[in-house]
Amino acid sequence: MDRWQAMRVFVQVVESGGFAPAAKVLHMSPPSVTRAVAKLEDLIGTRLLVRTTRSLKLTAAGEGYVADCRRILGEIAEAEANAAGSFTAPAGLLTVTAPALFGRIHVLPVILDFLDHYPAMQVKTIFVDRVTNLVDEGLDVAIRIASLPASGLVARRIGSVRQVLCGSPDYFARFGDPGSPQELARHRIIGREGLFGHSEWLFGRDNNIRVPISPRLICNTNDAVLAAAVAGWGLSRFQSYQVAPDVSAGRLKVVLADYEREPVPIHIVHAEGRMVSARVRAFVDFAAGRFRRHAGLGTEL
């Protein structure tokens, strides 16, 4: 077994979480997979995996090596695709990551249309509420809602979202509309664990208005915060895309719009390289066009 194939087997073992699952994906026997990884470790001269009867864990050397393997295998696949002329006809696996709710609401429909448009493509989604590392985690494309620092990544701005304060019409009928951020002290506040903070909210384009906040209800998911607001219990802050359907349907109302912070940009991001693969380039162009035509990803609600 050549080194390229051994690297491919090793990566699949890591991604599958074991030798037997990897063997099924690779259409190999489990002993053959085990031997391939063992030979690779002998060739390198270090242990890549720690094996027990119930678990499989990367060593420190293995963590770095699997990232390098993913990069090398990706470059080989790109070189083969380029030689075969398939840069004009994207094919293969593309991994796309995005924030969980944004991914489900906005990114997934784009992916479904993309798959219909390119029948030779396969897409794997990683929708998680954390910042992923494209290179270390073997990801191709990320959708990020943030002002991005300088990095070795290529970022294309595709829209923006507002941070809005919302409550239900029933809530405002009972407690009235706040006329300024300072009036929030007399209102019921719904907080989101880990989002926007619980002690202070910032308002104004320059973040120059600071308002102490003491939520009586703190939820650990966006869905729960949204449900409580729609139910009329209190007020909370959301990204505009999260509440667009409820605002449009009249279930929620935006207040204090004149005091909102600067809109947050949305970027589509991919790793910078000597050449961008057909599948990455095709998806970035396809998704950028779709997002820029989407009214819910501008500054309006």
Side-chain angles (χ1 to χ4, degrees), residues 96-111 125-130 143-145 161-162 164 192 195-196 220-227 230 237-246 252 266 291 294 296-297:
V96 179
T97 183
L101 185 59
F102 187 85
R104 177 171 61 82
I105 294 175
H106 291 298
V107 180
L108 185 58
V110 173
I111 289 173
T125 65
I126 308 292
F127 294 159
V128 290
D129 290 324
R130 63 176 176 84
I143 310 297
R144 292 186 173 159
I145 305 173
V161 296
R162 292 159 51 199
V164 297
R192 161 71 200 276
L195 188 66
F196 306 141
N220 71 324
T221 67
N222 285 322
D223 288 344
V225 176
L226 184 59
V230 170
R237 286 183 118 171
F238 302 92
Q239 301 286 10
S240 53
Y241 76 87
Q242 297 170 335
V243 296
D246 292 297
L252 289 176
I266 307 170
F291 284 133
H294 198 297
L297 299 180

Side-chain angles (χ1 to χ4, degrees), residues 107-148:
V107 180
L108 185 58
V110 173
I111 289 173
L112 299 181
D113 289 345
F114 177 76
L115 289 171
D116 285 341
H117 195 75
Y118 294 103
M121 285 296 306
Q122 179 186 15
V123 176
K124 178 180 178 181
T125 65
I126 308 292
F127 294 159
V128 290
D129 290 324
R130 63 176 176 84
V131 178
T132 53
N133 187 304
L134 269 65
V135 176
D136 290 348
E137 298 182 48
L139 307 174
D140 295 305
V141 177
I143 310 297
R144 292 186 173 159
I145 305 173
S147 297
L148 301 178

Side-chain angles (χ1 to χ4, degrees), residues 170-236:
D170 288 344
Y171 175 86
F172 294 122
R174 293 170 60 197
F175 299 100
D177 292 18
S180 69
Q182 289 77 13
E183 291 185 22
L184 292 177
R186 65 176 180 84
H187 283 269
R188 293 178 171 183
I189 303 299
I190 308 165
R192 161 71 200 276
E193 189 175 39
L195 188 66
F196 306 141
H198 301 318
S199 62
E200 186 179 69
W201 278 351
L202 301 179
F203 290 88
R205 293 285 171 151
D206 298 323
N207 296 326
N208 58 335
I209 302 173
R210 297 176 176 269
V211 178
I213 294 297
S214 180
R216 289 185 57 205
L217 174 63
I218 299 173
C219 304
N220 71 324
T221 67
N222 285 322
D223 288 344
V225 176
L226 184 59
V230 170
W233 190 88
L235 307 179
S236 194

Side-chain angles (χ1 to χ4, degrees), residues 238-275:
F238 302 92
Q239 301 286 10
S240 53
Y241 76 87
Q242 297 170 335
V243 296
D246 292 297
V247 171
S248 178
R251 292 184 291 269
L252 289 176
K253 183 176 79 170
V254 176
V255 293
L256 300 183
D258 292 341
Y259 295 91
E260 288 176 9
R261 303 169 69 185
E262 192 74 24
V264 181
I266 307 170
H267 294 92
I268 185 166
V269 179
H270 62 87
E272 188 174 22
R274 182 173 52 86
M275 57 181 177

